[in-house]
Amino acid sequence: MTPHSLDPRAPWVISTHDLGRRPGAMRRMSLTLPAPANIGVDMIGVPQGADVELDIRLEAVMEGVLVTGTAHAPLRGECARCLEEIVSDTEVSFQELFFYSAEDAAEDDSLLDGELLDLEPAFRDAVVLTLPLSPVCSEDCSGLCSECGIRLAEAEPGHGHEVVDARWAKLQGLVPEHNNDQES
């Protein structure tokens, strides 16, 4: 895997210049970066451009630079049961080794581009792996009525619909309904 040329001005690109290649050299950083596009799954994710707070440690090791950190990011999505908007946040931990050279790295390992590294893939992987595929607004969310689509949490107690067995449906209407008010 050949490193692509990283833009040092890109928000998620970090310079390791001050670490040199001295194993044991370390630097801590606290950053607030704009969330990249498409961080999430179908029903929930980090909104593009939202503030992501990072606390990271860069440490020079023999093979490259080890990045360890946590990220705190807002989440937006919709409930898989009732389709209401979900607004929450997530905190994820991540660790990634950025190798100095492709000879030391395996095919899927991250490489330094000169003295630059791109944190976005490590952040993306950490967040996406923690997201639920079917997020819910609350654990006891009742969802939507399968007949009329109303949110069951907002429905009257005992909300329901008369269900006629399909085998008897053709007989419906053959017997006139009785009006209880007239029989009194």
Side-chain angles (χ1 to χ4, degrees), residues 129-181:
L129 289 174
T130 64
L131 294 176
L133 293 177
S134 297
V136 291
C137 58
S138 66
E139 289 302 316
D140 62 344
C141 177
S142 304
L144 301 175
C145 174
S146 61
E147 294 293 318
C148 67
I150 190 172
R151 283 189 66 224
L152 292 174
E154 297 172 352
E156 299 172 9
H159 175 82
H161 301 275
E162 184 179 332
V163 178
V164 177
D165 187 325
R167 296 172 293 184
W168 298 100
K170 289 191 177 193
L171 298 176
Q172 195 172 15
L174 291 178
V175 177
E177 290 187 29
H178 296 284
N179 190 340
N180 290 336
D181 293 338

Side-chain angles (χ1 to χ4, degrees), residues 11-121:
W12 289 82
V13 173
I14 307 293
S15 173
T16 63
H17 175 74
D18 57 332
L19 295 177
R21 289 193 175 204
R22 300 180 311 272
M26 185 185 74
R27 175 176 59 164
R28 292 186 183 276
M29 300 173 73
S30 291
L31 306 165
T32 300
L33 300 176
N38 304 318
I39 303 277
V41 293
D42 287 342
M43 298 197 76
I44 195 163
V46 179
Q48 182 176 353
D51 286 345
V52 176
E53 297 171 15
L54 293 169
D55 286 314
I56 58 174
R57 184 180 75 194
L58 305 169
E59 185 176 0
V61 295
M62 292 298 288
E63 302 87 3
V65 175
L66 179 65
V67 179
T68 307
T70 59
H72 186 85
L75 294 175
R76 298 265 188 282
E78 62 183 26
C79 177
R81 295 181 189 159
C82 71
L83 305 179
E84 281 294 303
E85 182 180 24
I86 296 175
V87 177
S88 67
D89 56 354
T90 187
E91 185 167 296
V92 295
S93 297
F94 59 93
Q95 186 172 54
E96 187 81 24
L97 177 58
F98 292 83
F99 287 87
Y100 290 127
S101 69
E103 292 86 43
D104 297 332
E107 185 178 334
D108 291 335
D109 288 338
S110 300
L111 294 175
L112 284 165
D113 183 1
E115 296 176 334
L116 302 175
L117 59 86
D118 186 1
L119 280 181
E120 183 183 328

